[in-house]
Amino acid sequence: EADIYQTPRYLVIGTGKKITLECSQTMGHDKMYWYQQDPGMELHLIHYSYGVNSTEKGDLSSESTVSRIRTEHFPLTLESARPSHTSQYLCASSEGGNNQPQHFGDGTRLSIL
Amino acid sequence: SQKIEQNSEALNIQEGKTATLTCNYTNYSPAYLQWYRQDPGRGPVFLLLIRENEKEKRKERLKVTFDTTLKQSLFHITASQPADSATYLCALDEQAGTALIFGKGTTLSVSS
């Protein structure tokens, strides 16, 4: 089993709130990723990181931001949540190098009222 | 841009049969192609990786093929079991090699 953890698993919150989704991995992986997935749809990459102090935006435009201050920790923040942010957010990590298998957490299901 | 097409309809088979899932891509041939399993409410779990110079890869009851001429990968589960019921995702490297592009997946249902 992969050692990557996401909290909370579920979050229902009102519009305008600031939200931070947590993601931690204990495998020492350099690369970490955030994906957004709606029911029955493909995963869309919204952020990734090659290592500490490295963050990049993915293909899907997102109003969220990320930080990578420690190798094991890659939190995602929404400054002001909106109903359009309702989705499942999946965090993953992989070893350095291209095309390594990704290890996923079980996601945070976010609902903005 | 690269697009991945997987069987949009669910695949229903009987226990003991072989399930075959298809992944087609539209643009450049990737250096690698990966298959993942996703259960409801869970994150994807990595199953197999196949390189462009490999025609076939096996792991226990799983087999993956990769045909760069057809721009297609096939994923086979032999002697399928109800526990194999899940959504199976195909993923390949985007051209810069920084990340993976995922298909929508095919939902497999194995009945006993």
Side-chain angles (χ1 to χ4, degrees):
Chain A
E1 293 293 326
D3 296 316
I4 181 163
Y5 307 100
Q6 291 187 243
T7 57
R9 287 278 281 128
Y10 305 93
L11 180 61
V12 181
I13 201 165
T15 298
K17 301 290 187 185
K18 179 178 179 179
I19 300 165
T20 297
L21 307 185
E22 301 288 350
C23 177
S24 295
Q25 51 98 3
T26 59
M27 297 170 282
H29 286 166
D30 287 327
K31 290 186 172 180
M32 295 190 74
Y33 314 83
W34 276 103
Y35 292 90
Q36 190 171 337
Q37 185 182 33
D38 292 316
M41 302 298 289
E42 59 267 66
L43 281 73
H44 288 289
L45 182 70
I46 50 175
H47 296 282
Y48 61 97
S49 167
Y50 287 133
V52 171
N53 294 325
S54 151
T55 61
E56 302 287 343
K57 288 188 180 292
D59 294 333
L60 183 67
S61 173
S62 173
E63 293 162 345
S64 59
T65 59
V66 291
S67 62
R68 189 90 184 273
I69 299 172
R70 303 196 316 266
T71 297
E72 62 271 22
H73 195 213
F74 192 41
L76 180 145
T77 298
L78 282 162
E79 289 294 331
S80 179
R82 296 209 302 266
S84 60
H85 296 140
T86 294
S87 188
Q88 168 144 290
Y89 292 84
L90 290 161
C91 179
S93 71
S94 70
E95 295 182 12
N98 290 337
N99 300 295
Q100 295 296 317
Q102 295 187 11
H103 302 268
F104 284 83
D106 281 334
T108 294
R109 184 162 295 283
L110 179 63
S111 294
I112 310 300
L113 304 177
Chain B
S1 63
Q2 184 75 281
K3 294 213 183 300
I4 299 176
E5 296 162 356
Q6 295 188 251
N7 312 61
S8 57
E9 296 183 9
L11 182 62
N12 300 302
I13 64 168
Q14 282 206 304
E15 184 174 10
K17 301 291 186 186
T18 296
T20 298
L21 285 65
T22 305
C23 173
N24 295 300
Y25 55 92
T26 59
N27 199 352
Y28 60 88
S29 276
Y32 298 78
L33 194 143
Q34 302 185 23
W35 283 89
Y36 290 77
R37 168 183 173 142
Q38 187 173 24
D39 291 288
R42 306 295 298 272
V45 175
F46 170 75
L47 297 175
L48 280 170
L49 179 152
I50 187 166
R51 294 173 173 79
E52 62 178 335
N53 60 352
E54 297 176 316
K55 296 295 183 192
E56 182 180 297
K57 199 81 167 278
R58 291 176 185 261
K59 178 183 175 183
E60 297 172 354
R61 294 184 296 111
L62 309 180
K63 184 178 84 171
V64 173
T65 62
F66 192 3
D67 189 327
T68 55
T69 301
L70 294 178
K71 296 190 175 182
Q72 181 181 81
S73 174
L74 298 179
F75 178 81
H76 306 271
I77 306 176
T78 58
S80 59
Q81 305 165 359
D84 295 327
S85 298
T87 297
Y88 292 86
L89 310 176
C90 168
L92 48 85
D93 59 300
E94 63 95 30
Q95 204 154 23
T98 55
L100 292 175
I101 303 169
F102 283 83
K104 290 183 182 179
T106 298
T107 298
L108 172 67
S109 179
V110 182
S111 55
S112 56

